[in-house]
Amino acid sequence: MKILVVDDDRRIVKTTCDILKIKGHEPIAAFSGEEGIEKVKTDMPDCVLMDIRMPGISGVEALRQMKTISPALPVVLISAYATGEVVDEAKSAGAYAVLSKPLNFQMVLSFLSLLHKEENILIVDDDPSFGKTLKDILTLRGYQVETETETHKVLEHLDNNYKLVVVLDLKLGEVNGVDVLKQIQAKYPNKPVVVVTGYRQEMSHSIEKASQVGAYSVLYKPLETDALFHLIDEIRVKKLQNSLIST
């Protein structure tokens, strides 16, 4: 991936860029917040690693301006002197995390590996046409998508490869989706499951039960795809943030 490294300390930039290059990434160097913003404008990176305290504009202000150019750009800020107030300000501005110097490169490389990883989504619905339509929509957004109509095969999908999120219908023929949710939670307790249903009134008890069991969220058919996109992006960001240890 293309990684923008921004720091006024040229030795730190060189060391970081050298390590990233050895690991197969394409580093881009910048030595001020202003230069970093220009790099984002002219040579959009996949991720930014940026110091907070620099001459000229701070890393937090540079982050704000980068986010106006590319709101989804992952930015990790780094500091040897970050106070709680600065960390809160950085996160409010959209930083994924604020890391301490000296940088834990193994942690950063693990984060970049997750960032680069294709995200798989599993759709569980007994209506094949709904599954296909939603799969087509999500595929256009760049996700890898699997569909399943048979509830006894759901765990097999999760066993075979990593899934970012499961989209689970509550009414699966004779099977209640809450029971499938319980099976998923028993084996994969941290797996985000977004429950969907077209029967808001009829399934009200199951909806309440799904929330109690640990469903990440509930959406209703006809599905508002923007709401689903928002949830998926939120889940992805949380996963990435959890791979970094914030100060």
Side-chain angles (χ1 to χ4, degrees), residues 20-76:
L20 291 172
K21 192 170 184 179
I22 288 170
K23 294 298 182 179
H25 297 291
E26 180 186 341
I28 306 168
F31 304 102
S32 68
E34 292 86 348
E35 186 181 359
I37 293 165
E38 287 304 311
K39 294 288 187 183
V40 170
K41 289 178 180 177
T42 60
D43 192 14
M44 180 63 68
D46 297 300
C47 180
V48 179
L49 304 176
M50 179 163 56
D51 191 28
I52 288 182
R53 296 183 66 173
M54 296 180 288
I57 66 172
S58 70
V60 175
E61 179 55 34
L63 163 64
R64 290 195 183 97
Q65 295 190 39
M66 289 175 180
K67 286 289 186 177
T68 63
I69 301 165
S70 177
L73 178 64
V75 179
V76 176

Side-chain angles (χ1 to χ4, degrees), residues 121-144:
I121 295 171
L122 175 62
I123 301 167
V124 183
D125 199 298
D126 62 338
D127 180 355
S129 63
F130 174 82
K132 182 182 184 306
T133 300
L134 188 54
K135 177 179 180 177
D136 291 344
I137 292 169
L138 290 170
T139 300
L140 287 173
R141 297 275 296 199
Y143 293 104
Q144 301 293 313

Side-chain angles (χ1 to χ4, degrees), residues 86-144:
V86 171
V87 171
D88 291 342
E89 184 185 9
K91 290 183 177 179
S92 296
Y96 270 49
V98 179
L99 303 182
S100 299
K101 289 183 178 179
L103 202 55
N104 182 333
F105 281 105
Q106 190 55 53
M107 184 173 62
V108 171
L109 292 169
S110 296
F111 167 77
L112 294 176
S113 177
L114 284 173
L115 190 63
H116 183 62
K117 187 176 183 179
E118 289 185 335
E119 301 293 6
N120 287 1
I121 295 171
L122 175 62
I123 301 167
V124 183
D125 199 298
D126 62 338
D127 180 355
S129 63
F130 174 82
K132 182 182 184 306
T133 300
L134 188 54
K135 177 179 180 177
D136 291 344
I137 292 169
L138 290 170
T139 300
L140 287 173
R141 297 275 296 199
Y143 293 104
Q144 301 293 313

Side-chain angles (χ1 to χ4, degrees), residues 72-243:
L73 178 64
V75 179
V76 176
L77 293 181
I78 306 159
S79 177
Y81 312 101
T83 63
E85 183 179 346
V86 171
V87 171
D88 291 342
E89 184 185 9
K91 290 183 177 179
S92 296
Y96 270 49
V98 179
L99 303 182
S100 299
K101 289 183 178 179
L103 202 55
N104 182 333
F105 281 105
Q106 190 55 53
M107 184 173 62
V108 171
L109 292 169
S110 296
F111 167 77
L112 294 176
S113 177
L114 284 173
L115 190 63
H116 183 62
K117 187 176 183 179
E118 289 185 335
E119 301 293 6
N120 287 1
I121 295 171
L122 175 62
I123 301 167
V124 183
D125 199 298
D126 62 338
D127 180 355
S129 63
F130 174 82
K132 182 182 184 306
T133 300
L134 188 54
K135 177 179 180 177
D136 291 344
I137 292 169
L138 290 170
T139 300
L140 287 173
R141 297 275 296 199
Y143 293 104
Q144 301 293 313
V145 183
E146 296 175 21
T147 61
E148 185 53 71
T149 58
E150 299 182 43
T151 56
H152 67 277
K153 294 183 179 179
V154 170
L155 291 182
E156 184 180 331
H157 283 273
L158 299 178
D159 293 340
N160 286 340
N161 54 54
Y162 175 85
K163 300 293 187 298
L164 174 68
V165 61
V166 178
V167 180
L168 174 68
D169 192 22
L170 265 185
K171 195 169 185 179
L172 299 161
E174 299 299 316
V175 179
N176 190 313
V178 174
D179 294 329
V180 180
L181 173 61
K182 288 178 179 177
Q183 292 174 20
I184 295 171
Q185 295 285 12
K187 191 165 186 181
Y188 298 96
N190 297 318
K191 183 64 59 185
V193 178
V194 175
V195 169
V196 298
T197 183
Y199 304 91
R200 188 189 293 251
Q201 298 301 323
E202 180 184 337
M203 301 292 290
S204 59
H205 177 72
S206 293
I207 293 167
E208 182 180 353
K209 189 66 177 175
S211 298
Q212 292 172 352
V213 170
Y216 187 86
S217 185
V218 179
L219 297 177
Y220 299 97
K221 296 179 179 179
L223 200 61
E224 292 185 12
T225 53
D226 283 348
L228 179 60
F229 295 154
H230 174 76
L231 285 174
I232 293 171
D233 288 344
E234 179 180 274
I235 290 166
R236 184 170 184 269
V237 168
K238 284 182 179 179
K239 182 195 75 171
L240 290 166
Q241 287 175 328
N242 286 338
S243 72

